[in-house]
Amino acid sequence: MHRFVPWNSQPLEAWAEKYAEGRFIDLAGRRTHFIERGRGRPVVLIHGFNLDHHSWIKNLDALAAHFKVYAPDLWGHGYSTREPIAYGYDLFEEQIRLFLDALDIQSASLIGHSMGGGTSIVLGLRHPDRVDKLVLVDASGIPTRLPFQAKIFRLKGVAEFLLSLPTDRIRRMNLADIWIHDRGALTEDIYRNLMGFQKIEGTTQALLAILRADFFNTLEAEIKALGGSGIPTMIIWGREDAALPVGNAKTMKDFIPGSRLEILEKAGHLANFDQADTFNELVIDFLNSAA
């Protein structure tokens, strides 16, 4: 039996040296870890809250067969910097914009999941010349009532206690209840990949700071404004999303005239994982289609 490594306990440098698979780049004094695969037109995958680049584990190779794919870890997640900073869409939009600048990417298609979808919306609205196409996957932004679990984890002291327990149970239940619809797909390897970064010290503080900043679903005006940007947009949603109801997808489509909406059956909040084959086909077709 493997020795249990406490959550929020491992030095970033040591844990990254042991497990990080990608490259590192300095952006305004903060380190960003990212995966880079394929060749062709650039596509940037932006993960959601509580996850990292592993959330695209079933999509990276399929997309990289057609495009040059980048999957960065947002600050506070994965193997990227953790520090007490003002987390929010402004910060994450800046990170992705600096990422594009550093790699000399003039424009790219963005695929954003949940909070990463909100980040994509903000970047597309502020810098439409940098965004070729948008794919919004169960994207945050529309005002929405929080699920019960999110309310619990906003309680100071309670969340810190639960997340410090020497068990996988809390995080495994969270993934099964909110993110992944097919519990049978949450294998031990998938679980370790998705949650491994939370062993790094400072992760609990960063994630709770993000959650308690309460900015996820504050983009109604921005989404409406994005509708006038002319950026080709596809919205993909899991029918069984327990975090952001499927009705948000229809509202978002109404706010973005001309956008394409795809509802994936038997898919939860991480629709790109639950229905990976269908997701990959839809995205490849959309990115290859004429604007």
Side-chain angles (χ1 to χ4, degrees):
M1 179 179 294
H2 295 295
R3 178 180 66 88
F4 182 83
V5 177
W7 301 102
N8 203 50
S9 68
Q10 302 301 297
L12 174 58
E13 295 292 341
W15 202 249
E17 183 176 350
K18 190 173 184 179
Y19 293 110
E21 305 169 286
R23 295 172 52 194
F24 293 89
I25 191 170
D26 181 88
L27 304 174
R30 300 187 181 105
R31 188 172 75 161
T32 292
H33 170 261
F34 66 100
I35 302 296
E36 178 181 5
R37 293 185 189 170
R39 58 194 304 175
R41 288 176 287 131
V43 175
V44 180
L45 310 180
I46 309 175
H47 66 78
F49 170 71
N50 198 50
L51 299 167
D52 68 1
H53 67 276
H54 284 104
S55 62
W56 307 106
I57 197 167
K58 291 189 174 183
N59 317 115
L60 269 166
D61 288 339
L63 297 178
H66 299 264
F67 313 103
K68 180 72 169 184
V69 180
Y70 303 88
D73 289 336
L74 294 175
W75 289 323
H77 300 75
Y79 302 104
S80 292
T81 289
R82 284 147 180 72
E83 58 182 83
I85 48 181
Y87 289 105
Y89 287 129
D90 287 344
L91 181 76
F92 296 133
E93 181 272 333
E94 177 188 26
Q95 181 186 6
I96 299 303
R97 180 168 42 82
L98 290 173
F99 180 78
L100 295 177
D101 291 343
L103 294 178
D104 197 26
I105 300 171
Q106 298 304 307
S107 65
S109 292
L110 306 182
I111 304 177
H113 169 252
S114 194
M115 183 181 76
T119 300
S120 301
I121 289 166
V122 173
L123 179 57
L125 179 60
R126 293 180 180 175
H127 302 279
D129 58 312
R130 307 298 300 272
V131 180
D132 295 329
K133 292 185 178 183
L134 278 175
V135 179
L136 303 175
V137 188
D138 297 84
S140 299
I142 302 295
T144 305
R145 294 181 62 182
L146 290 172
F148 175 74
Q149 292 91 330
K151 294 179 181 179
I152 290 294
F153 281 94
R154 288 191 178 187
L155 299 176
K156 291 187 177 181
V158 174
E160 283 82 354
F161 170 74
L162 291 174
L163 292 175
S164 69
L165 292 174
T167 178
D168 292 322
R169 183 175 178 82
I170 301 298
R171 289 166 177 81
R172 188 180 289 278
M173 286 178 59
N174 184 255
L175 284 174
D177 289 345
I178 299 294
W179 269 263
I180 296 175
H181 177 64
D182 180 7
R183 296 186 177 216
L186 188 55
T187 64
E188 189 64 23
D189 283 346
I190 292 294
Y191 170 76
R192 297 295 176 195
N193 280 325
L194 291 177
M195 293 290 99
F197 78 92
Q198 296 194 22
K199 299 291 185 177
I200 298 170
E201 60 185 352
T203 302
T204 298
Q205 292 87 339
L207 294 181
L208 292 180
I210 293 169
L211 183 63
R212 291 165 179 166
D214 198 19
F215 63 86
F216 293 159
N217 298 313
T218 60
L219 297 177
E220 182 172 345
E222 287 81 357
I223 295 168
K224 290 177 178 177
L226 181 71
S229 69
I231 300 173
T233 301
M234 179 163 68
I235 301 161
I236 299 180
W237 222 273
R239 175 78 70 184
E240 310 300 329
D241 190 334
L244 299 174
V246 69
N248 285 18
K250 299 169 184 176
T251 301
M252 197 169 288
K253 175 174 172 52
D254 290 341
F255 286 169
I256 308 175
S259 59
R260 173 179 169 183
L261 173 60
E262 298 287 348
I263 306 296
L264 303 189
E265 304 296 333
K266 297 181 180 179
H269 188 50
L270 201 59
N272 57 291
F273 177 92
D274 277 322
Q275 295 296 335
D277 290 344
T278 301
F279 175 89
N280 295 337
E281 290 175 7
L282 287 169
V283 169
I284 291 167
D285 175 71
F286 175 70
L287 295 183
N288 278 331
S289 64

